[in-house]
Amino acid sequence: MRLTIIQPCMGRRRGEPYIRTWQMEPLAPAVLAALTPADVAIRFHDDRMEPIPYDEPTDLVAITVETYTARRSYQIATEYRRRGVPVVMGGFHPTLVPEEAGQYAEAVVIGEAEGLWPQVIEDFRRNRLRSVYRSHTRPPLSGSTPDRSIFAGKNYLPIALVESGRGCRLGCEFCSIQTVFRQSCTFRPVAEVVAEIKRLGRRVIFFVDDNIVADPERARELLRALVPLRIRWIGQAAISAAFDGELLQLLVESGCQGLLIGLESLDPRTLERMGKGFATGAGYYRAALANLRRHGIRIYATFVLGYEEDTVGTLEEALAFAGQERFYLAAFNHITPFPGTPLYRRLAEEGRLLHHRWWLDGEYRYGMLPFAPRNIPPGELEERCVAARRRFFGLPSMIRRSLDFGVNSSSFSMWLNFFVINGLMRREVLQRRRYPLGDENFSGALLRVGEGAACGDREPHRSGHPREWVSE
Ligand code: B12
Ligand code: SF4
């Protein structure tokens, strides 16, 4: 049997390369490859960096789908399904809106692949593929390591993504993570994470865990185990970690170079409404950031704009705060109502969604507000978010922040790094603006299940050669 795994891009502008900072090794396809029985031949295509060879013979296509990549995923599925090849979709978006994804795929996997994927393959081989596969409980994350052999020959950014745990126990109103994982966390055994890093042999690691300090005890265990590896790593964490002295010390000793922290807002009313009431605003943040600074940890701070109390002043305040705190990187995004989240439901009930299924709407572009904020016209907030990014990544701000020798530029090479990374982000501020969702070159309508070529009723090809691709 031959399986093709696809990582879609968000969209494509005619004649333009894809956004470079998003071209990292994608873990979901590597996890799927690892869970696939050894006698299945696998091809992997990354739509962000190469054209997809739709005519290459294959028996089954698996696409990993996020909300921003949904439209593009349905286009890709249409191409394969026009050729009679059945498609399976999984990932965040199909888990949030399975009934929608099910219109464009023969099968939808709701939830995590561990525990379900081998069954999908088995059912396909027996010609009894079901339209929906759902995991009712969270599977353990032990015993499987992503199969990165599928990345061979691709020009990814030089950073290895590693997952040590999945999910978050907090419940922010706007967040897909809490909706998908139902406010729970699962962790891989620390020994398996360490073994994977050793095998990888890479010096720079990005832990993709949503909150690497979600369970402080387990975080300590992981960090202690990382110390002897002498790696440099970045990750994502809740700011509460900054008040745990032992954890901070272990972060430094284990090689933590920087943390992405969702500050979201400086307004306590907004933080309360979001479900982040534990952070009580600018004063709380300043104290926490001072602790992180003392330990030399660089910060990528993210802010979201457009909440109920937000005004133009809120954005200006966030921008000024980011400058004063000399963040290594910062993001100023409008809040996004992802399907299935409490925020989406609330805005829909209040009649404030401007584009209902904005991720499928041909008029909608990255950066546009899909809802009406209370105090700022949507177009103005979009422009102001872009302007804030341009100012933050503008030369005067970059120079000022680079002169932070205690943290951002602790050595000459880190000073150069600062300019490379900030320069990349600066270049992309305008490139990202109004980026299309879906490929502008795609023509025709999206093919729905039951329309056009019949899929899934063909006998799967059996090569008999483990992992070997036999052309027809
Ligand atoms: C690392 C990361 C990135 C990296 C990209 C890494 C890469 N792939 O190249 C960077 C920093 C570039 C990035 C960018 C963005 N990201 Co991001 N990212 C993540 C993060 C933290 C980890 C992803 C990961 O590797 N997970 C580990 C893998 C193994 O898990 P998984 O993808 O969920 O896959 C499992 C299941 O979902 C399922 N599955 C997945 N696909 C498939 C397919 C099939 C067929 C099957 C059966 C199962 C299946 O099985 C897997 C194993 O169980 C996630 C959060 C998260 N917890 O996943 C956010 C996340 C995916 N990102 C998100 C967003 C919004 C973005 C941006 C839009 C942010 C922005 N405004 O700029 C961009 C968009 C980039 C794009 N899509 O092109 C959202 C998506 C929400 C949604 N509803 O879709 C997430 C969930 C974060 C969040 N807080 O909500 N991101
Ligand atoms: S802390 Fe982060 S990952 Fe957790 S629910 Fe809030 S936004 Fe989502």
Side-chain angles (χ1 to χ4, degrees), residues 167-179 183 209-211 236-239 262 264 274-276 278:
C168 176
R169 296 204 176 105
L170 301 176
C172 302
E173 189 196 25
F174 55 84
C175 181
S176 303
I177 305 282
Q178 60 113 339
T179 309
Q183 289 181 250
D209 303 33
D210 300 302
N211 179 5
Q236 311 186 89
I239 190 132
E264 325 300 6
M274 287 173 171
K276 277 204 160 168
F278 66 89

PDB file of all heavy atoms in Angstrom, residues 167-179 183 209-211 236-239 262 264 274-276 278, ligand 2:
ATOM      1  N   GLY A 167      -0.998  19.782  25.374  1.00  0.00           N
ATOM      2  CA  GLY A 167      -2.202  20.296  26.023  1.00  0.00           C
ATOM      3  C   GLY A 167      -1.899  21.330  27.084  1.00  0.00           C
ATOM      4  O   GLY A 167      -0.737  21.706  27.313  1.00  0.00           O
ATOM      5  N   CYS A 168      -2.954  21.809  27.726  1.00  0.00           N
ATOM      6  CA  CYS A 168      -2.820  22.854  28.743  1.00  0.00           C
ATOM      7  C   CYS A 168      -4.007  22.731  29.677  1.00  0.00           C
ATOM      8  O   CYS A 168      -5.103  22.378  29.253  1.00  0.00           O
ATOM      9  CB  CYS A 168      -2.808  24.221  28.054  1.00  0.00           C
ATOM     10  SG  CYS A 168      -2.755  25.611  29.188  1.00  0.00           S
ATOM     11  N   ARG A 169      -3.775  23.018  30.966  1.00  0.00           N
ATOM     12  CA  ARG A 169      -4.878  22.856  31.927  1.00  0.00           C
ATOM     13  C   ARG A 169      -5.700  24.126  32.066  1.00  0.00           C
ATOM     14  O   ARG A 169      -6.748  24.126  32.700  1.00  0.00           O
ATOM     15  CB  ARG A 169      -4.320  22.468  33.290  1.00  0.00           C
ATOM     16  CG  ARG A 169      -3.628  21.120  33.248  1.00  0.00           C
ATOM     17  CD  ARG A 169      -3.590  20.450  34.616  1.00  0.00           C
ATOM     18  NE  ARG A 169      -3.004  19.133  34.476  1.00  0.00           N
ATOM     19  CZ  ARG A 169      -1.771  18.815  34.854  1.00  0.00           C
ATOM     20  NH1 ARG A 169      -1.010  19.711  35.435  1.00  0.00           N
ATOM     21  NH2 ARG A 169      -1.313  17.588  34.682  1.00  0.00           N
ATOM     22  N   LEU A 170      -5.207  25.213  31.510  1.00  0.00           N
ATOM     23  CA  LEU A 170      -5.949  26.468  31.643  1.00  0.00           C
ATOM     24  C   LEU A 170      -7.071  26.502  30.601  1.00  0.00           C
ATOM     25  O   LEU A 170      -7.139  25.636  29.727  1.00  0.00           O
ATOM     26  CB  LEU A 170      -5.000  27.653  31.489  1.00  0.00           C
ATOM     27  CG  LEU A 170      -3.852  27.670  32.516  1.00  0.00           C
ATOM     28  CD1 LEU A 170      -2.894  28.810  32.249  1.00  0.00           C
ATOM     29  CD2 LEU A 170      -4.411  27.752  33.927  1.00  0.00           C
ATOM     30  N   GLY A 171      -7.918  27.505  30.688  1.00  0.00           N
ATOM     31  CA  GLY A 171      -9.103  27.494  29.821  1.00  0.00           C
ATOM     32  C   GLY A 171      -9.373  28.846  29.182  1.00  0.00           C
ATOM     33  O   GLY A 171     -10.475  29.370  29.297  1.00  0.00           O
ATOM     34  N   CYS A 172      -8.395  29.417  28.479  1.00  0.00           N
ATOM     35  CA  CYS A 172      -8.599  30.744  27.886  1.00  0.00           C
ATOM     36  C   CYS A 172      -9.721  30.691  26.842  1.00  0.00           C
ATOM     37  O   CYS A 172      -9.757  29.769  26.014  1.00  0.00           O
ATOM     38  CB  CYS A 172      -7.305  31.253  27.276  1.00  0.00           C
ATOM     39  SG  CYS A 172      -5.989  31.338  28.496  1.00  0.00           S
ATOM     40  N   GLU A 173     -10.566  31.687  26.886  1.00  0.00           N
ATOM     41  CA  GLU A 173     -11.796  31.697  26.084  1.00  0.00           C
ATOM     42  C   GLU A 173     -11.552  31.512  24.585  1.00  0.00           C
ATOM     43  O   GLU A 173     -12.338  30.912  23.877  1.00  0.00           O
ATOM     44  CB  GLU A 173     -12.526  33.031  26.324  1.00  0.00           C
ATOM     45  CG  GLU A 173     -13.915  33.063  25.727  1.00  0.00           C
ATOM     46  CD  GLU A 173     -14.498  34.469  25.623  1.00  0.00           C
ATOM     47  OE1 GLU A 173     -13.746  35.456  25.548  1.00  0.00           O
ATOM     48  OE2 GLU A 173     -15.745  34.558  25.593  1.00  0.00           O
ATOM     49  N   PHE A 174     -10.424  32.044  24.104  1.00  0.00           N
ATOM     50  CA  PHE A 174     -10.187  32.083  22.653  1.00  0.00           C
ATOM     51  C   PHE A 174      -9.379  30.893  22.148  1.00  0.00           C
ATOM     52  O   PHE A 174      -9.121  30.776  20.955  1.00  0.00           O
ATOM     53  CB  PHE A 174      -9.416  33.369  22.302  1.00  0.00           C
ATOM     54  CG  PHE A 174      -8.136  33.512  23.077  1.00  0.00           C
ATOM     55  CD1 PHE A 174      -6.984  32.888  22.645  1.00  0.00           C
ATOM     56  CD2 PHE A 174      -8.098  34.238  24.266  1.00  0.00           C
ATOM     57  CE1 PHE A 174      -5.803  32.990  23.360  1.00  0.00           C
ATOM     58  CE2 PHE A 174      -6.926  34.345  25.000  1.00  0.00           C
ATOM     59  CZ  PHE A 174      -5.769  33.718  24.540  1.00  0.00           C
ATOM     60  N   CYS A 175      -8.959  30.003  23.042  1.00  0.00           N
ATOM     61  CA  CYS A 175      -7.882  29.076  22.667  1.00  0.00           C
ATOM     62  C   CYS A 175      -8.384  27.714  22.177  1.00  0.00           C
ATOM     63  O   CYS A 175      -9.194  27.051  22.829  1.00  0.00           O
ATOM     64  CB  CYS A 175      -6.965  28.892  23.876  1.00  0.00           C
ATOM     65  SG  CYS A 175      -5.597  27.785  23.518  1.00  0.00           S
ATOM     66  N   SER A 176      -7.839  27.295  21.021  1.00  0.00           N
ATOM     67  CA  SER A 176      -8.204  25.990  20.444  1.00  0.00           C
ATOM     68  C   SER A 176      -7.640  24.838  21.273  1.00  0.00           C
ATOM     69  O   SER A 176      -8.204  23.752  21.290  1.00  0.00           O
ATOM     70  CB  SER A 176      -7.595  25.827  19.049  1.00  0.00           C
ATOM     71  OG  SER A 176      -7.980  26.854  18.218  1.00  0.00           O
ATOM     72  N   ILE A 177      -6.505  25.093  21.924  1.00  0.00           N
ATOM     73  CA  ILE A 177      -5.839  24.020  22.673  1.00  0.00           C
ATOM     74  C   ILE A 177      -6.767  23.491  23.768  1.00  0.00           C
ATOM     75  O   ILE A 177      -6.950  22.288  23.921  1.00  0.00           O
ATOM     76  CB  ILE A 177      -4.552  24.550  23.350  1.00  0.00           C
ATOM     77  CG1 ILE A 177      -3.611  25.206  22.345  1.00  0.00           C
ATOM     78  CG2 ILE A 177      -3.867  23.495  24.192  1.00  0.00           C
ATOM     79  CD1 ILE A 177      -2.813  24.300  21.520  1.00  0.00           C
ATOM     80  N   GLN A 178      -7.329  24.412  24.549  1.00  0.00           N
ATOM     81  CA  GLN A 178      -8.182  23.966  25.647  1.00  0.00           C
ATOM     82  C   GLN A 178      -9.442  23.289  25.116  1.00  0.00           C
ATOM     83  O   GLN A 178      -9.980  22.382  25.736  1.00  0.00           O
ATOM     84  CB  GLN A 178      -8.510  25.142  26.578  1.00  0.00           C
ATOM     85  CG  GLN A 178      -9.238  26.274  25.901  1.00  0.00           C
ATOM     86  CD  GLN A 178     -10.661  26.417  26.415  1.00  0.00           C
ATOM     87  OE1 GLN A 178     -11.207  25.475  26.962  1.00  0.00           O
ATOM     88  NE2 GLN A 178     -11.252  27.578  26.226  1.00  0.00           N
ATOM     89  N   THR A 179      -9.920  23.707  23.924  1.00  0.00           N
ATOM     90  CA  THR A 179     -11.121  23.094  23.359  1.00  0.00           C
ATOM     91  C   THR A 179     -10.794  21.674  22.892  1.00  0.00           C
ATOM     92  O   THR A 179     -11.538  20.734  23.169  1.00  0.00           O
ATOM     93  CB  THR A 179     -11.617  23.941  22.164  1.00  0.00           C
ATOM     94  OG1 THR A 179     -11.719  25.295  22.592  1.00  0.00           O
ATOM     95  CG2 THR A 179     -12.959  23.463  21.657  1.00  0.00           C
ATOM     96  N   GLN A 183      -8.865  20.911  28.379  1.00  0.00           N
ATOM     97  CA  GLN A 183      -8.110  21.386  29.555  1.00  0.00           C
ATOM     98  C   GLN A 183      -7.328  20.284  30.268  1.00  0.00           C
ATOM     99  O   GLN A 183      -7.348  20.191  31.492  1.00  0.00           O
ATOM    100  CB  GLN A 183      -9.044  22.094  30.532  1.00  0.00           C
ATOM    101  CG  GLN A 183      -9.515  23.432  29.992  1.00  0.00           C
ATOM    102  CD  GLN A 183     -10.416  24.164  30.954  1.00  0.00           C
ATOM    103  OE1 GLN A 183     -11.591  24.286  30.716  1.00  0.00           O
ATOM    104  NE2 GLN A 183      -9.855  24.648  32.039  1.00  0.00           N
ATOM    105  N   ASP A 209       5.609  22.077  23.200  1.00  0.00           N
ATOM    106  CA  ASP A 209       4.600  21.968  24.265  1.00  0.00           C
ATOM    107  C   ASP A 209       3.893  23.315  24.436  1.00  0.00           C
ATOM    108  O   ASP A 209       4.547  24.361  24.433  1.00  0.00           O
ATOM    109  CB  ASP A 209       5.266  21.642  25.609  1.00  0.00           C
ATOM    110  CG  ASP A 209       6.098  20.375  25.555  1.00  0.00           C
ATOM    111  OD1 ASP A 209       6.680  20.087  24.502  1.00  0.00           O
ATOM    112  OD2 ASP A 209       6.168  19.690  26.576  1.00  0.00           O
ATOM    113  N   ASP A 210       2.595  23.246  24.638  1.00  0.00           N
ATOM    114  CA  ASP A 210       1.841  24.501  24.764  1.00  0.00           C
ATOM    115  C   ASP A 210       2.244  25.261  26.020  1.00  0.00           C
ATOM    116  O   ASP A 210       2.188  26.483  26.048  1.00  0.00           O
ATOM    117  CB  ASP A 210       0.342  24.184  24.771  1.00  0.00           C
ATOM    118  CG  ASP A 210      -0.026  23.497  23.479  1.00  0.00           C
ATOM    119  OD1 ASP A 210       0.214  24.096  22.419  1.00  0.00           O
ATOM    120  OD2 ASP A 210      -0.485  22.341  23.510  1.00  0.00           O
ATOM    121  N   ASN A 211       2.608  24.523  27.040  1.00  0.00           N
ATOM    122  CA  ASN A 211       3.060  25.159  28.271  1.00  0.00           C
ATOM    123  C   ASN A 211       4.036  24.195  28.938  1.00  0.00           C
ATOM    124  O   ASN A 211       3.611  23.254  29.606  1.00  0.00           O
ATOM    125  CB  ASN A 211       1.848  25.454  29.170  1.00  0.00           C
ATOM    126  CG  ASN A 211       2.253  26.085  30.484  1.00  0.00           C
ATOM    127  OD1 ASN A 211       3.423  26.389  30.703  1.00  0.00           O
ATOM    128  ND2 ASN A 211       1.280  26.289  31.356  1.00  0.00           N
ATOM    129  N   GLN A 236       7.499  27.337  25.001  1.00  0.00           N
ATOM    130  CA  GLN A 236       6.369  28.189  25.366  1.00  0.00           C
ATOM    131  C   GLN A 236       6.023  27.919  26.824  1.00  0.00           C
ATOM    132  O   GLN A 236       6.010  26.764  27.236  1.00  0.00           O
ATOM    133  CB  GLN A 236       5.156  27.844  24.514  1.00  0.00           C
ATOM    134  CG  GLN A 236       5.451  27.778  23.022  1.00  0.00           C
ATOM    135  CD  GLN A 236       4.187  27.577  22.212  1.00  0.00           C
ATOM    136  OE1 GLN A 236       3.539  28.537  21.829  1.00  0.00           O
ATOM    137  NE2 GLN A 236       3.830  26.343  21.947  1.00  0.00           N
ATOM    138  N   ALA A 237       5.722  28.968  27.564  1.00  0.00           N
ATOM    139  CA  ALA A 237       5.431  28.767  28.986  1.00  0.00           C
ATOM    140  C   ALA A 237       4.429  29.798  29.473  1.00  0.00           C
ATOM    141  O   ALA A 237       4.318  30.889  28.919  1.00  0.00           O
ATOM    142  CB  ALA A 237       6.715  28.877  29.792  1.00  0.00           C
ATOM    143  N   ALA A 238       3.729  29.431  30.527  1.00  0.00           N
ATOM    144  CA  ALA A 238       2.860  30.404  31.203  1.00  0.00           C
ATOM    145  C   ALA A 238       3.757  31.262  32.086  1.00  0.00           C
ATOM    146  O   ALA A 238       4.751  30.783  32.648  1.00  0.00           O
ATOM    147  CB  ALA A 238       1.821  29.680  32.034  1.00  0.00           C
ATOM    148  N   ILE A 239       3.389  32.528  32.220  1.00  0.00           N
ATOM    149  CA  ILE A 239       4.260  33.469  32.941  1.00  0.00           C
ATOM    150  C   ILE A 239       4.372  33.150  34.434  1.00  0.00           C
ATOM    151  O   ILE A 239       5.319  33.575  35.094  1.00  0.00           O
ATOM    152  CB  ILE A 239       3.783  34.923  32.717  1.00  0.00           C
ATOM    153  CG1 ILE A 239       4.808  35.920  33.259  1.00  0.00           C
ATOM    154  CG2 ILE A 239       2.415  35.162  33.354  1.00  0.00           C
ATOM    155  CD1 ILE A 239       5.156  36.992  32.345  1.00  0.00           C
ATOM    156  N   GLY A 262       2.445  34.127  26.234  1.00  0.00           N
ATOM    157  CA  GLY A 262       1.233  34.845  25.820  1.00  0.00           C
ATOM    158  C   GLY A 262       0.831  35.814  26.925  1.00  0.00           C
ATOM    159  O   GLY A 262       0.182  35.425  27.891  1.00  0.00           O
ATOM    160  N   GLU A 264      -0.962  38.498  26.228  1.00  0.00           N
ATOM    161  CA  GLU A 264      -2.302  38.787  25.697  1.00  0.00           C
ATOM    162  C   GLU A 264      -2.754  40.224  25.921  1.00  0.00           C
ATOM    163  O   GLU A 264      -3.128  40.912  24.994  1.00  0.00           O
ATOM    164  CB  GLU A 264      -3.395  37.838  26.236  1.00  0.00           C
ATOM    165  CG  GLU A 264      -2.992  36.382  26.497  1.00  0.00           C
ATOM    166  CD  GLU A 264      -2.491  35.617  25.290  1.00  0.00           C
ATOM    167  OE1 GLU A 264      -2.328  36.211  24.219  1.00  0.00           O
ATOM    168  OE2 GLU A 264      -2.203  34.402  25.430  1.00  0.00           O
ATOM    169  N   MET A 274     -10.826  36.774  29.618  1.00  0.00           N
ATOM    170  CA  MET A 274     -10.225  35.710  28.797  1.00  0.00           C
ATOM    171  C   MET A 274     -10.103  34.395  29.543  1.00  0.00           C
ATOM    172  O   MET A 274      -9.955  33.349  28.925  1.00  0.00           O
ATOM    173  CB  MET A 274      -8.787  36.096  28.405  1.00  0.00           C
ATOM    174  CG  MET A 274      -8.673  37.157  27.371  1.00  0.00           C
ATOM    175  SD  MET A 274      -6.914  37.574  27.223  1.00  0.00           S
ATOM    176  CE  MET A 274      -6.979  38.617  25.771  1.00  0.00           C
ATOM    177  N   GLY A 275     -10.096  34.496  30.897  1.00  0.00           N
ATOM    178  CA  GLY A 275      -9.839  33.289  31.679  1.00  0.00           C
ATOM    179  C   GLY A 275      -8.388  33.232  32.123  1.00  0.00           C
ATOM    180  O   GLY A 275      -7.886  32.184  32.506  1.00  0.00           O
ATOM    181  N   LYS A 276      -7.706  34.393  32.060  1.00  0.00           N
ATOM    182  CA  LYS A 276      -6.300  34.458  32.501  1.00  0.00           C
ATOM    183  C   LYS A 276      -6.195  35.352  33.723  1.00  0.00           C
ATOM    184  O   LYS A 276      -5.239  36.115  33.858  1.00  0.00           O
ATOM    185  CB  LYS A 276      -5.439  35.043  31.378  1.00  0.00           C
ATOM    186  CG  LYS A 276      -5.037  34.017  30.348  1.00  0.00           C
ATOM    187  CD  LYS A 276      -3.776  34.416  29.615  1.00  0.00           C
ATOM    188  CE  LYS A 276      -3.180  33.172  29.003  1.00  0.00           C
ATOM    189  NZ  LYS A 276      -2.155  33.359  28.075  1.00  0.00           N
ATOM    190  N   PHE A 278      -5.344  34.932  36.589  1.00  0.00           N
ATOM    191  CA  PHE A 278      -4.200  34.792  37.504  1.00  0.00           C
ATOM    192  C   PHE A 278      -3.151  35.875  37.230  1.00  0.00           C
ATOM    193  O   PHE A 278      -2.390  36.261  38.107  1.00  0.00           O
ATOM    194  CB  PHE A 278      -3.575  33.395  37.393  1.00  0.00           C
ATOM    195  CG  PHE A 278      -2.933  33.116  36.059  1.00  0.00           C
ATOM    196  CD1 PHE A 278      -1.607  33.438  35.834  1.00  0.00           C
ATOM    197  CD2 PHE A 278      -3.663  32.540  35.021  1.00  0.00           C
ATOM    198  CE1 PHE A 278      -1.013  33.188  34.608  1.00  0.00           C
ATOM    199  CE2 PHE A 278      -3.078  32.285  33.799  1.00  0.00           C
ATOM    200  CZ  PHE A 278      -1.754  32.612  33.578  1.00  0.00           C
TER     201      PHE A 278
HETATM  202  S1  SF4 B   2      -2.549  29.311  28.585  1.00  0.00           S
HETATM  203 FE1  SF4 B   2      -2.129  29.284  26.354  1.00  0.00          FE
HETATM  204  S2  SF4 B   2      -2.432  27.139  25.684  1.00  0.00           S
HETATM  205 FE2  SF4 B   2      -3.352  27.347  27.741  1.00  0.00          FE
HETATM  206  S3  SF4 B   2      -5.533  27.730  27.349  1.00  0.00           S
HETATM  207 FE3  SF4 B   2      -4.512  29.744  27.578  1.00  0.00          FE
HETATM  208  S4  SF4 B   2      -3.883  30.375  25.488  1.00  0.00           S
HETATM  209 FE4  SF4 B   2      -4.412  28.154  25.435  1.00  0.00          FE
END
